Amino acid sequence: MLKYGAFAKAVEMMCFKPALNRLEELRPEMDMKIYKKKVKSEYKAMLCRTPDIGGSSLEANLYIAAFVFSLHKAEPEKITPAIVDEMVTAVFDSPFMVKAHKNKKCTLFTDKVQDKKVRESIASQNSKYELD
């Protein structure tokens, strides 16, 4: 299972403030302290239910995805997918994220990176059957 450790807390530190600031604009009637506690609780629970994939570079994606899903799952009646989309956009537009990606090339779709992802995917398979 994934751990609620340093990486999980780093995801929270990067994402909570811009996401909650945007949510406060969209849903000013909500109590952000209570919502934040619910998201944190759901995030921890989600990580505990998610199988570890052995330190692969794809693992970071699981932590971020769990956080994003927990934004909705903490208050599904109030937080629609459209609101989650707004919150995620706020995170990516935050000064920290802009600065972190400044002067970096997008290398995700280069052959080298994609070949590495394929190798990691193959290595993570436990079954001897191709489509399992």
Side-chain angles (χ1 to χ4, degrees), residues 42-79:
E42 186 57 48
Y43 180 50
K44 288 178 184 180
M46 207 174 285
L47 292 177
C48 289
R49 294 189 304 263
T50 304
D52 191 339
I53 57 174
S56 164
S57 64
L58 299 173
E59 194 170 79
N61 296 338
L62 289 177
Y63 280 94
I64 294 166
F67 183 80
V68 171
F69 289 131
S70 69
L71 294 172
H72 168 71
K73 200 161 182 186
E75 285 283 349
E77 308 82 36
K78 296 179 182 176
I79 309 300

Side-chain angles (χ1 to χ4, degrees), residues 23-39:
L23 179 61
E24 203 163 29
E25 293 171 9
L26 298 169
R27 296 272 190 203
E29 75 282 359
M30 285 182 65
D31 184 333
M32 290 303 135
K33 277 188 172 183
I34 292 172
Y35 176 69
K36 186 175 180 177
K37 285 180 184 180
K38 287 180 180 181
V39 170

Side-chain angles (χ1 to χ4, degrees), residues 18-132:
L20 292 180
N21 287 346
R22 183 65 181 126
L23 179 61
E24 203 163 29
E25 293 171 9
L26 298 169
R27 296 272 190 203
E29 75 282 359
M30 285 182 65
D31 184 333
M32 290 303 135
K33 277 188 172 183
I34 292 172
Y35 176 69
K36 186 175 180 177
K37 285 180 184 180
K38 287 180 180 181
V39 170
K40 204 170 200 170
S41 175
E42 186 57 48
Y43 180 50
K44 288 178 184 180
M46 207 174 285
L47 292 177
C48 289
R49 294 189 304 263
T50 304
D52 191 339
I53 57 174
S56 164
S57 64
L58 299 173
E59 194 170 79
N61 296 338
L62 289 177
Y63 280 94
I64 294 166
F67 183 80
V68 171
F69 289 131
S70 69
L71 294 172
H72 168 71
K73 200 161 182 186
E75 285 283 349
E77 308 82 36
K78 296 179 182 176
I79 309 300
T80 65
I83 290 176
V84 172
D85 186 45
E86 288 280 334
M87 293 167 75
V88 170
T89 299
V91 170
F92 285 117
D93 291 343
S94 71
F96 174 81
M97 291 297 263
V98 170
K99 187 176 180 181
H101 292 92
K102 189 177 181 181
N103 299 325
K104 289 188 179 179
K105 292 182 192 175
C106 180
T107 59
L108 181 60
F109 298 106
T110 63
D111 288 339
K112 181 179 176 183
V113 172
Q114 289 301 305
D115 290 344
K116 180 182 177 196
K117 300 274 186 210
V118 168
R119 285 192 304 275
E120 289 174 347
S121 176
I122 291 168
S124 71
Q125 292 180 357
N126 295 328
S127 175
K128 63 182 180 181
Y129 302 106
E130 184 178 336
L131 297 177
D132 274 354

